[in-house]
Amino acid sequence: MATRMWRLEYPNSVVFDEMHFGRFASMYIRRTFFFDVHPPLGKLIIAFGAYLGDFSGNFTWERIGTDYPSAVPVWYLRLFPALFGSLLVPLTYQTTVELGYNHWTATLAGGMVLFENSLVTQSRFLLIDSFLLFFILATLLCLLKFWRLKQSPFSPWWWAWLAGTGAMLACACSVKYVGVFTVLLVGGMIFHELWKLVGDKRLSVHDLTSHFLARAGLLAVLPVLLYLLLFHLHLELANRSGPHDEMMTSAFQATLEGGLSRITKSQPVSIAYGSQITLRHTHGMFLGRPCWLHSHLSTYPVRYHDNRGSSAQQQVTCYSFKDINNWWIVKDPGRTTLYVDDPPKLIHHGDIIQLVHGTSSRALNSHNVAAPLSPYSQEVTCYIDYNISLPAQNLWRVELVDSADEGDTWKSIQSHIRLVHVNTSAALKVSGLQLPDWGFHQLEVVSDRVIQQEPTIWNVEEHKYTQVDQADVVGNNEETFNQATYEDTMDDQPLMGFLGRFAELQWKMLSTNKELQQEHKYSSSPAEWPLMERGVAYWLHPRTNAQIHFMGNPVVWWSGVVGILGYLALLGVFLVRRRRACFDMDDESWQRYILTGELVLGGWVLHYVPFFLMERTLFLHHYLPALVFKILLLAVMVENIHTHVLRWPIHRNVFSALCAVWVTCIYFTYRKFAPLTYGNSDLSADEVTDLKWLESWDLLIQVL
């Protein structure tokens, strides 16, 4: 624990992604909703540390390097990452023993984890990787303990270790989605085990069914239930409106205390002719921000940038801020009045409407004129009656996307709709493109003949019933409209349930994760990870060259590559020799060697290769789960070479001496790079240069 806990409060300033995870802890303390691409368990554990430290949550976490005030309990915030990081050492030791290797091999594996600089760095700050690594290793340990009892199926400890495997799987997936790779590993191993059980003629059909149901229940159903439970806890704790609300749909926002729910709680539910509404683009976050259907008095330019002619009519856009120009009135095309009848004439799926802009009194219109930035789609305008060559085409059909589930009445918040232009059968859509200066950099709205797509889905957010006291039905002053009487309000409607909120949040997390493609100076590709060709700058002292740089122990990382190649080479040799009836190992040792390949080498492959398929921004720390598997494989390869390759005592003695030198190098390399791990040494420029073993390592040197 000393390597992880020593001077844990240093540096007393924000380090790398503490800026994000510290902010999330603050929001938990204040019960404020927030959005993050990672599941909640790691953040919940950090927030528990903040709670133990009596943290008020009143710190802004603005940027890396910001000094912590005395009110921030830095030691408590960093306590649990360091504690879980420390537990990796005994977990690694015990996992190696359970694989069937001796205590010297287990000590070697634990020692490499102990003196691995990257694991130390990642454990000392408000980061969640140490939780992920702990639960991955705990999953392996529980699985191996469970297999040890295969001769005592359905005993209490058999059930306990099987349940422990499922619980640890759920926890790994609840920290980061990388845990899914562990699920694939365990799932593959369990399937292989069940397949062997099927071939065991000593087992009856009843026994096989019991084995299958036990594994299905505790390795599939239990993890799903625990995963749901953790999200339920997350949503219960973060239940107040906050700065990330607008990333979610209106229905989700209405479940949060304050914010949108305060505005909409007493508004009418059903949309009627004469309703005043704001239309939000339901899936606006695929654009990176929410937006509302909007118009203003400015018109489209006579000619667009490519010299195409426009209609020169009033612009319609999607605006990313709430504004009075986002209000529209739903009009019955067969009437001239704009007020709500008593009783209201409700709008249903398939009804035809007109949308009149509240402040300009002009109707939403589309026509066969190419849109400004999307020439294969149609322009959308508010119609100005000054051009007889372009008659009004302002009828729209309301199509409820979810009418089968919600009924055929158009409702605020709840109903997702498409507005289909009657004349051209094109749906109102946000293209996602940003208009130039003449469009005030708002988002382009078009009508598209491809109707079945997410960018064509809208929902009513704010809603009023109105009646008119004056002859002039539409004006620029909202006060000319008074609330009409109505019975059904949002107060009487059930809010989105937990499963609905969970599904939406899950979808948003997964889709946003794919979109994390920002350029970053310290990003790296998976091909660079095994040899640690690039590190990541975490923190730099403002006045010296003292710095924290995420990088590993080069001896461990580079030796690990040799371990992988060595395992594959020996596997090939052993297979050929066994084919020729030359048995270098007894059956027990051979089965252990194969299990090592399936579980440990397989774990390395599953936690490494998928990153080549990802298009998001990646960093060296994404390799840490694979690194742990690589360390396990390296340690057990030492024993396999010593026991099964070297036959003569003198060869084994020489090999043992070389291993002692190698282990000593691991320790002294850890010490050499400790200034970059702990950031507690004021390095000179020459000392920093001396630590730059590869030209690709971007260590920082300040001009002092």
Side-chain angles (χ1 to χ4, degrees):
M1 292 181 68
T3 58
R4 274 68 172 172
M5 305 289 285
W6 180 71
R7 296 191 63 188
L8 193 57
E9 70 283 354
Y10 181 86
N12 192 45
S13 54
V14 179
V15 176
F16 194 55
D17 277 352
E18 286 190 335
M19 179 175 65
H20 302 300
F21 295 112
R23 185 183 299 127
F24 299 148
S26 295
M27 290 182 173
Y28 272 132
I29 295 297
R30 300 198 305 269
R31 306 290 301 274
T32 302
F33 175 76
F34 63 88
F35 177 82
D36 181 41
V37 296
H38 300 303
L41 180 56
K43 300 182 287 287
L44 285 167
I45 296 172
I46 291 175
F48 181 62
Y51 172 78
L52 292 179
D54 200 25
F55 182 40
S56 66
N58 294 321
F59 182 67
T60 55
W61 313 88
E62 291 179 355
R63 59 182 179 83
I64 297 172
T66 303
D67 289 337
Y68 288 121
S70 58
V72 177
V74 179
W75 191 87
Y76 281 97
L77 286 166
R78 293 174 177 170
L79 171 62
F80 285 104
L83 181 60
F84 277 72
S86 301
L87 292 174
L88 291 178
V89 178
L91 265 180
T92 302
Y93 177 93
Q94 194 59 41
T95 301
T96 308
V97 170
E98 291 299 325
L99 277 169
Y101 294 94
N102 64 44
H103 291 280
W104 287 106
T105 302
T107 302
L108 174 61
M112 284 191 283
V113 169
L114 178 64
F115 296 121
E116 171 46 49
N117 299 70
S118 62
L119 297 178
V120 175
T121 301
Q122 210 70 0
S123 300
R124 287 177 50 79
F125 305 107
L126 275 73
L127 306 171
I128 60 177
D129 295 270
S130 59
F131 306 136
L132 173 67
L133 299 176
F134 173 87
F135 291 124
I136 289 174
L137 273 177
T139 300
L140 295 187
L141 180 60
C142 290
L143 181 64
L144 291 168
K145 290 277 191 182
F146 165 70
W147 281 340
R148 286 270 180 164
L149 296 170
K150 60 185 176 183
Q151 301 302 325
S152 306
F154 309 110
S155 63
W157 279 110
W158 186 91
W159 284 107
W161 289 118
L162 183 60
T165 304
M168 293 301 101
L169 271 181
C171 291
C173 291
S174 299
V175 174
K176 278 189 173 184
Y177 287 126
V178 172
V180 172
F181 303 147
T182 312
V183 172
L184 294 176
L185 175 65
V186 172
M189 299 298 293
I190 290 296
F191 177 82
H192 184 233
E193 180 199 20
L194 284 172
W195 186 248
K196 288 195 292 186
L197 290 176
V198 169
D200 189 345
K201 294 182 179 180
R202 295 171 298 177
L203 297 177
S204 65
V205 174
H206 178 270
D207 291 336
L208 285 174
T209 303
S210 299
H211 276 284
F212 174 79
L213 291 177
R215 287 160 176 79
L218 294 179
L219 297 181
V221 177
L222 176 63
V224 169
L225 292 176
L226 290 176
Y227 188 74
L228 289 170
L229 178 63
L230 289 167
F231 268 92
H232 188 272
L233 177 61
H234 165 68
L235 292 172
E236 285 297 309
L237 289 176
N239 64 342
R240 296 174 183 167
S241 176
H244 297 172
D245 291 9
E246 291 182 349
M247 297 193 70
M248 313 307 294
T249 63
S250 303
F252 189 105
Q253 291 182 50
T255 67
L256 302 173
E257 295 180 10
L260 181 64
S261 63
R262 185 172 53 192
I263 298 171
T264 61
K265 66 177 182 178
S266 297
Q267 72 182 19
V269 175
S270 301
I271 310 299
Y273 289 111
S275 287
Q276 284 189 83
I277 62 173
T278 63
L279 275 171
R280 172 180 161 145
H281 189 246
T282 301
H283 299 292
M285 285 317 299
F286 90 96
L287 311 167
R289 51 187 162 167
C291 66
W292 291 263
L293 188 66
H294 175 94
S295 187
H296 40 243
L297 295 178
S298 299
T299 58
Y300 290 109
V302 176
R303 291 198 176 275
Y304 294 130
H305 66 285
D306 54 3
N307 211 33
R308 287 183 293 113
S310 80
S311 65
Q313 299 227 3
Q314 184 170 306
Q315 296 175 20
V316 173
T317 65
C318 206
Y319 189 44
S320 298
F321 301 93
K322 295 190 176 183
D323 185 84
I324 192 173
N325 286 321
N326 298 347
W327 284 90
W328 301 79
I329 303 166
V330 183
K331 180 180 177 297
D332 185 344
R335 300 174 56 182
T336 58
T337 56
L338 295 173
Y339 55 83
V340 177
D341 292 335
D342 192 7
K345 184 180 179 181
L346 304 183
I347 299 173
H348 301 87
H349 177 70
D351 284 352
I352 306 300
I353 65 168
Q354 292 174 313
L355 280 180
V356 177
H357 188 236
T359 59
S360 67
S361 304
R362 290 167 178 154
L364 187 71
N365 186 79
S366 187
H367 41 224
N368 194 21
V369 175
L373 303 181
S374 306
Y376 294 103
S377 299
Q378 296 176 177
E379 187 184 70
V380 174
T381 69
C382 275
Y383 185 73
I384 305 174
D385 190 11
Y386 59 33
N387 190 338
I388 59 173
S389 66
L390 289 172
Q393 299 182 34
N394 53 24
L395 299 180
W396 299 85
R397 183 172 61 253
V398 176
E399 293 189 355
L400 273 65
V401 176
D402 43 12
S403 58
D405 299 325
E406 301 291 342
D408 70 344
T409 302
W410 186 10
K411 298 178 180 179
S412 61
I413 303 291
Q414 301 172 16
S415 297
H416 292 171
I417 68 156
R418 290 187 173 96
L419 292 175
V420 179
H421 191 234
V422 172
N423 298 76
T424 61
S425 298
L428 191 70
K429 168 189 171 181
V430 180
S431 72
L433 301 176
Q434 192 171 44
L435 297 169
D437 290 345
W438 55 258
F440 308 101
H441 303 285
Q442 296 171 19
L443 297 175
E444 180 191 42
V445 172
V446 301
S447 56
D448 194 325
R449 294 181 187 273
V450 181
I451 295 175
Q452 302 297 324
Q453 51 179 316
E454 283 192 346
T456 61
I457 299 177
W458 303 79
N459 67 272
V460 170
E461 191 165 86
E462 296 183 60
H463 177 211
K464 299 176 182 179
Y465 278 173
T466 58
Q467 61 185 14
V468 181
D469 292 337
Q470 302 176 357
D472 183 11
V473 294
V474 181
N476 291 338
N477 188 350
E478 274 193 292
E479 293 179 0
T480 60
F481 298 93
N482 298 318
Q483 293 283 13
T485 58
Y486 53 89
E487 296 181 357
D488 61 332
T489 70
M490 291 300 297
D491 294 338
D492 306 321
Q493 297 297 307
L495 297 174
M496 178 186 279
F498 164 69
L499 290 179
R501 288 183 293 159
F502 168 78
E504 179 179 332
L505 187 57
Q506 196 72 27
W507 179 83
K508 283 282 197 317
M509 291 164 67
L510 291 171
S511 58
T512 304
N513 216 330
K514 295 178 183 177
E515 297 164 5
L516 296 175
Q517 299 182 24
Q518 304 96 327
E519 290 292 328
H520 195 286
K521 179 180 178 181
Y522 291 99
S523 63
S524 55
S525 69
E528 297 174 296
W529 297 346
L531 296 178
M532 197 175 61
E533 296 177 36
R534 300 201 68 194
V536 185
Y538 272 17
W539 174 81
L540 178 66
H541 193 281
R543 294 178 299 279
T544 71
N545 284 320
Q547 60 188 285
I548 295 171
H549 200 91
F550 176 79
M551 59 188 303
N553 186 319
V555 177
V556 174
W557 284 59
W558 299 341
S559 300
V561 175
V562 176
I564 292 170
L565 297 176
Y567 178 89
L568 294 172
L570 281 181
L571 178 63
V573 170
F574 288 151
L575 286 172
V576 170
R577 287 177 60 80
R578 290 178 75 84
R579 183 66 175 169
R580 295 181 62 83
C582 298
F583 300 100
D584 302 285
M585 302 180 182
D586 56 51
D587 285 342
E588 182 181 351
S589 299
W590 175 246
Q591 292 302 321
R592 182 169 64 241
Y593 192 83
I594 294 301
L595 175 62
T596 299
E598 292 173 343
L599 191 61
V600 181
L601 182 60
W604 177 80
V605 170
L606 282 173
H607 289 81
Y608 174 51
V609 173
F611 285 102
F612 284 94
L613 306 177
M614 297 183 186
E615 297 181 355
R616 57 159 292 176
T617 305
L618 297 170
F619 298 91
L620 183 63
H621 61 73
H622 288 111
Y623 187 65
L624 288 180
L627 174 66
V628 171
F629 284 98
K630 187 164 74 170
I631 288 173
L632 282 171
L633 186 63
L634 177 58
V636 301
M637 276 305 299
V638 170
E639 180 175 335
N640 279 305
I641 292 172
H642 185 273
T643 305
H644 302 296
V645 175
L646 303 176
R647 300 294 186 181
W648 300 95
I650 188 171
H651 293 163
R652 291 180 175 177
N653 291 337
V654 171
F655 182 73
S656 298
L658 292 175
C659 287
V661 173
W662 171 62
V663 170
T664 304
C665 289
I666 290 174
Y667 173 73
F668 281 105
T669 306
Y670 158 76
R671 290 291 302 271
K672 181 174 181 63
F673 286 91
L676 300 180
T677 301
Y678 299 96
N680 62 326
S681 299
D682 296 338
L683 301 172
S684 67
D686 289 340
E687 288 173 324
V688 174
T689 303
D690 183 54
L691 292 171
K692 191 174 181 180
W693 286 11
L694 296 180
E695 283 298 319
S696 55
W697 292 356
D698 294 326
L699 304 183
L700 301 176
I701 299 177
Q702 297 195 89
V703 179
L704 303 176

